[in-house]
Amino acid sequence: MAQIRALRRMASLLTTPLAPEDFLALVNPLASTRQLRGVVTKVVRETADSTTIHFHPGRGWNAHAAGQWARIGVEIDGVRQWRSYSLSAAAGHDPAITVTAIGFVSTALARDTKVGDILFLNVPQGDFVLPAHPRPLLMLTAGSGLTPVMSMIRTLVPRRPDADVVLIHSARTAADALFRDELLELADQFPGLTVRHWYTREEGGRRLDLTDPTDLETLCPDWRSRAAYACGPSDFLDAATELWEHSGDDGQAQLTIERFAPVLLPGTGGAGGLVTFEKSDKEVEAGGDVPLLDAGEECGVVMPSGCRMGICRSCLTPLVAGKVRDLRTGEVHGDEGELIQTCINAAAGPVHLDI
Amino acid sequence: MTATLNKPATQGQSLQVRPRKPVLAATGGPSVRPAAAAHLSDADVERLGQELDAVRDRIIASRGAKDAAYIRRVIAVQRTLELAGRATLLFSKRKSAFFAGTAMLSVAKILENMEIGHNVLHGQWDWMRDPDIHSTTWEWDFVTPAAAWKHTHNDLHHTWTNVLGKDKDVGYSTLRMSDEQPWQPHNILNPAINMVLAPFFEWGIAIYDLELEAWKEGEKSTDDLKKSLKALGKKAARQAAKDYVATPGAAAVFGSGKQALIGTFTANAIRNVWAHSVIFCGHFPDGVDVFTEEEIEGETRGDWYIRQMLGSANISGSKLLHLMTGNLSHQIEHHCFPDLPSNRYYEVAVEVREICERYGLPYTTGPMPRQVGQAWAKVFRLALPPKRTATARINQAPTVRAPRPARASFRLPQAARVV
Ligand SMILES: Cc1cc2nc3c(=O)[nH]c(=O)nc-3n(C[C@H](O)[C@H](O)[C@H](O)COP(=O)(O)OP(=O)(O)OC[C@H]3O[C@@H](n4cnc5c(N)ncnc54)[C@H](O)[C@@H]3O)c2cc1C
Ligand code: FES
């Protein structure tokens, strides 16, 4: 290792102001450690609008724990775009993401990704992970919310004979249900896994009702005694949270949730203002409902970010002057030098950021 | 605009990107317009400003994958050439290897400084949001540190283009480049000094970027100057170590040390002379105006564009010439839109030229030998004290519009200024 470092130091004498990796990148795009990249190794169409993308990460990647997510960067029309995706592969395997096409980036990822493409990456993070000690589990998922749970199931079920997992997955139709065949096979093969599909748009289908425990009691009578994990759309998670809060009378019931989108207070936006990114020497006029993160990216500032929904704090940026509005609460705040979460704060008047 | 929404609640957001500088009024006008634009009314100038804004907006809206692929291709070619050039110099004991290696390294260095470095540092590629091709992270193969250059160049020169007393320069004390500058006996050395400056141009820029003038006048603190000196020292040491120690050192293993040293020195000198020439073509040829502070007082967006157009000169030529000049052959377009991707100036030029024609504004351009010749003629002419009677104008560069109103002609002292 020391020899490699010495060699690198010598080589950099010849390549300055660039690094030796910049030249190695001519032949191997994964050579750069300054920007973590992965090369796509396999693309699998899962349903009509979702695709699993397997990739081999370059140096600097950390192995993921089942249930974690990573920030994925992709170039669309020449512009780098970042979004977060749960890693659907089992822990210990090369990572994969399963993307459902619902918007700008997800559609491009799901439709256009080819084997050999380069993805930009950030290391896995998140604490939506399996419990430290074995316990009976209940997984409650809807739509693309199955992805982190799929990683947990793939990691746990085949390896632990003592696993006891009940999965309740809601999808529109059987054809829309992610990983359906694999899940049914796993359930066949391993007694520790029970899979209950719930279809909302099949004949006689309706939404899973979480406003009272009736549906749950039918699907999984001992749900209260299980460690529960939920991931899905906001309203689904809101209902689950409420149900667990009210039914956990013995204090036993435990629910861990993972959100894919922030809970924003509707109509919090005010007038906005001129946002100045001082180090980058850029200015943008941004509306009062535009996260500062989006505003910065729009004018070409390389903004730090992670979840883009106010949970990971990767986006913290020092405020130089001005006030910002928290889009989740509507609160206007901002002291000089305060670290601002740019993904969930918008300008409330002119704002200067130290980036 | 690309959709960057990530969540339902931010739908219908309004993002509007505006150029940072200058934030100028759309309407109104300065008390005096430059003579070449004196025939335009406030309304004309406002319309001209809108037309040029529209050109800019159209290019910005159409930036995309093709442009990104272009700059990546240029970077890949440049790095390949650089690698091949240095590798070939390892065997420069052989004459053919010496010439091939030096040629490749010279071209690589020219591309690196002009089409890549200069333009990346202008933020022309920031929109890609690739941290490796970004104005905030780029460092170039030039002695002056990128940060120092960005300040004097992007902030000072591009904002105060050709405004007397604001757009200052290193040549002030050494070269006489302006009829306005009183003649002093040492100005007889003008040509000699410029001849030395050309092959050592990067050092001239490095000294210029220290802003010694500003420090003498107390505008730059001694602390800041010390910081600048330290940054420059570090950068210069690494640059020198690469070209004059590491490369010849590696070549010495193959018995080519001395030749490799001559090769890297020559490559730097060729790049320097080339850059110096291109820069001279940008603001020195006849037909380029300078301005008074009075003329920029109350300047509108349209007037700002006019100043950029009157204060710059293009070089006409082939696609290869445009590439090798870093598209500074489109100096006029670059000064109007410093942060548009350089590969698009070619198409912008067609429209800007048409607009100039329509508004009766001069558009200075000419082939490189003539533009360089004019600049050098000026260096020689101004070495001598002014003749009282002479109307100090030699071979006027051709402009699109034939007759121009007579006007006072100031010249900025601007010897070592990267455009
Ligand atoms: C921790 C975390 C893990 C995630 N894991 C996954 C994953 O495994 N698979 C996956 O497909 N996505 C996942 N996401 C969501 C993903 O990051 C993007 O938000 C999503 O792909 C939409 O981005 P987009 O650019 O396509 O949509 P945008 O163009 O940004 O949005 C377009 C529109 O889509 C709608 N929309 C956006 N997000 C949602 C949403 N979550 N639910 C419903 N409608 C929405 C809105 O109407 C929005 O205006 C995860 C997000 C987080 C924070
Ligand atoms: S990006 Fe995660 S908190 Fe802002």
Side-chain angles (χ1 to χ4, degrees), chain A residues 248-270:
Chain A
D249 37 18
D250 53 357
Q252 284 292 329
Q254 182 200 326
L255 175 72
T256 310
I257 64 167
E258 176 86 322
R259 287 184 188 274
F260 284 0
V263 188
L264 298 186
L265 203 63
T268 37

Side-chain angles (χ1 to χ4, degrees), chain B residues 36-252:
Chain B
H39 60 287
L40 298 176
S41 68
D42 284 358
D44 288 339
V45 174
E46 188 185 338
R47 200 152 34 79
L48 176 135
Q50 285 164 356
E51 287 193 40
L52 286 166
D53 278 346
V55 171
R56 179 187 147 82
D57 291 347
R58 194 177 52 71
I59 298 291
I60 284 181
S62 64
R63 286 182 309 207
K66 258 184 162 164
D67 303 290
Y70 169 80
I71 191 63
R72 296 217 167 94
R73 199 162 60 238
V74 175
I75 290 173
V77 166
Q78 187 276 327
R79 287 184 186 167
T80 308
L81 269 174
E82 162 122 29
L83 210 58
R86 273 182 212 279
T88 310
L89 281 179
L90 295 182
F91 311 100
S92 49
K93 202 164 51 178
R94 294 174 51 174
K95 256 212 172 97
S96 53
F98 172 80
F99 284 115
T102 306
M104 284 191 278
L105 192 57
S106 305
V107 174
K109 279 178 175 277
I110 286 171
L111 282 177
E112 199 276 348
N113 275 189
M114 315 290 291
E115 181 65 344
I116 306 172
H118 170 271
N119 295 338
V120 170
L121 290 177
H122 258 293
Q124 293 184 3
W125 301 99
D126 284 3
W127 58 274
M128 288 162 46
R129 296 185 214 149
D130 179 344
D132 280 351
I133 310 180
H134 202 270
S135 64
T136 52
T137 57
W138 193 265
E139 189 52 83
W140 56 352
D141 181 18
F142 212 49
V143 245
T144 195
W149 181 83
K150 273 189 294 184
H151 169 66
T152 57
H153 182 81
N154 291 4
D155 290 2
L156 303 182
H157 167 57
H158 270 273
T159 310
W160 301 111
T161 312
N162 294 21
V163 178
L164 286 172
K166 288 279 194 183
D167 187 1
K168 294 179 182 163
D169 249 302
V170 64
Y172 222 159
S173 44
T174 47
L175 282 181
R176 179 168 182 257
M177 287 307 297
S178 144
D179 290 300
E180 290 294 289
Q181 213 174 329
W183 184 84
Q184 291 176 325
H186 75 259
N187 292 140
I188 200 79
L189 294 176
N190 242 19
I193 293 172
N194 202 34
M195 244 171 260
V196 175
L197 179 66
F200 294 99
F201 191 54
E202 61 179 323
W203 294 96
I205 298 284
I207 294 166
Y208 167 55
D209 288 347
L210 289 174
E211 299 184 288
L212 294 171
E213 200 81 9
W215 170 71
K216 260 187 242 155
E217 285 162 22
E219 289 161 21
K220 177 171 174 154
S221 72
T222 305
D223 256 11
D224 283 349
L225 179 65
K226 276 190 195 149
K227 269 186 220 147
S228 303
L229 276 167
K230 209 170 139 201
L232 173 58
K234 222 169 123 191
K235 177 84 191 289
R238 285 190 71 89
Q239 287 292 116
K242 167 175 70 170
D243 284 340
Y244 305 136
V245 181
T247 305

Side-chain angles (χ1 to χ4, degrees), chain A residues 49-50 68-70 76 81-88 97-109 125 144-148 178 231-234 258-262 306-309 311, chain B residues 3-11:
Chain A
D49 54 6
S50 38
Q68 284 193 310
W69 54 271
I76 303 174
Q81 308 280 355
W82 289 95
R83 294 290 185 270
S84 307
Y85 291 95
S86 300
L87 299 163
S88 51
I97 54 172
T98 301
V99 180
T100 302
I102 53 162
F104 179 57
V105 177
S106 55
T107 304
L109 270 174
Q125 50 182 313
S144 61
L146 177 57
T147 46
L178 279 173
C231 184
S234 284
E258 176 86 322
R259 287 184 188 274
F260 284 0
C307 62
R308 309 180 76 94
M309 51 172 290
I311 52 171
Chain B
T4 50
L5 319 184
N6 195 27
K7 58 243 19 150
T10 56
Q11 252 173 352

Side-chain angles (χ1 to χ4, degrees), chain A residues 213 217 220-227 244 247-250 252-254:
Chain A
E217 299 284 0
C220 178
D222 61 349
W223 65 275
R224 280 190 176 83
S225 64
R226 292 174 173 266
W244 255 261
S247 318
D249 37 18
D250 53 357
Q252 284 292 329
Q254 182 200 326

